[in-house]
Amino acid sequence: MSSFLVRLNFHGNLSFFLGPKRRPEIIERQLAEKTSIKDVIESCGVPHPEVDLILVNGQPVDFYHNLQTKVGVDVYPVGFLPTLFTDKRLQESHFTKFVSDGHLGRLTRNLRLLGLDVAYLNAAEDRQLLETMQRENRALLTRDRRLLMHGCAKRLLSAVATCDGTNR
């Protein structure tokens, strides 16, 4: 198989994950073999739970779609273009129960004060957090990119704080 070019256009706040050296939001990748779209997106630094819609040459695909020819890919975050391809969304958008990792104690406390059901496992390892997420049907709140990119992670929300203390 000869190599082929994939042009990725990251929309909305996904540019945050690309890092300052990779902006603007369009990235080109030269691939030499058939590769899943999920792997290509994550190789750019964007965790798959942040992605809600992927269009390959204008058509919606899932994370397991394999790229093998030159294509244009548009990648959209959760909540972007809410009326486009509503039946092809990759993430759930309504959560009622959460589990929080040990680095988000203050956020957990504030969410509980607002009346949300948040389990807090401050000393839990990644595996324990993922098991709790699956067993209790909770969305996981974390800042850990490695955890965000875990294969079984479908209901994750990243809490990303900027230097000025605001959340993105």
Side-chain angles (χ1 to χ4, degrees):
M1 172 181 262
S2 61
S3 66
F4 56 95
L5 183 72
V6 174
R7 185 181 176 119
L8 298 119
N9 187 5
F10 291 94
H11 297 273
N13 62 0
L14 294 178
S15 62
F16 172 80
F17 296 101
L18 302 177
K21 293 183 180 180
R22 287 200 174 147
R23 292 182 184 133
E25 291 76 22
I26 296 174
I27 295 177
E28 292 184 345
R29 289 286 164 114
Q30 193 74 29
L31 301 177
E33 59 187 23
K34 181 169 70 169
T35 308
S36 78
I37 188 69
K38 177 182 176 281
D39 290 343
V40 174
I41 290 170
E42 288 190 337
S43 74
C44 295
V46 177
H48 75 274
E50 296 289 334
V51 176
D52 193 29
L53 180 64
I54 304 168
L55 301 178
V56 174
N57 292 336
Q59 297 301 309
V61 299
D62 64 16
F63 289 120
Y64 305 103
H65 178 80
N66 284 317
L67 301 172
Q68 45 195 1
T69 61
K70 180 179 177 180
V71 292
V73 178
D74 287 292
V75 184
Y76 297 94
V78 175
F80 201 84
L81 299 174
T83 59
L84 186 65
F85 298 108
T86 56
D87 60 331
K88 301 292 184 182
R89 295 299 172 137
L90 301 170
Q91 303 297 332
E92 295 180 33
S93 59
H94 302 286
F95 301 100
T96 58
K97 297 188 326 183
F98 304 89
V99 60
S100 176
D101 76 10
H103 299 97
L104 299 175
R106 184 180 299 163
L107 174 64
T108 299
R109 185 193 72 214
N110 291 338
L111 291 173
R112 285 177 174 171
L113 287 171
L114 292 171
L116 295 172
D117 180 358
V118 184
Y120 180 60
L121 307 171
N122 69 339
E125 294 185 18
D126 291 356
R127 179 183 41 77
Q128 293 169 301
L129 290 168
L130 293 169
E131 287 171 358
T132 301
M133 177 193 74
Q134 290 180 319
R135 183 179 62 251
E136 299 179 15
N137 196 28
R138 293 178 178 270
L140 177 61
L141 302 171
T142 184
R143 286 186 186 171
D144 184 345
R145 281 194 184 182
R146 193 179 81 246
L147 187 55
L148 283 171
M149 292 183 184
H150 195 279
C152 76
K154 292 205 178 248
R155 296 178 307 275
L156 291 116
L157 302 174
S158 65
V160 181
T162 59
C163 294
D164 62 3
T166 60
N167 286 331
R168 290 185 120 181

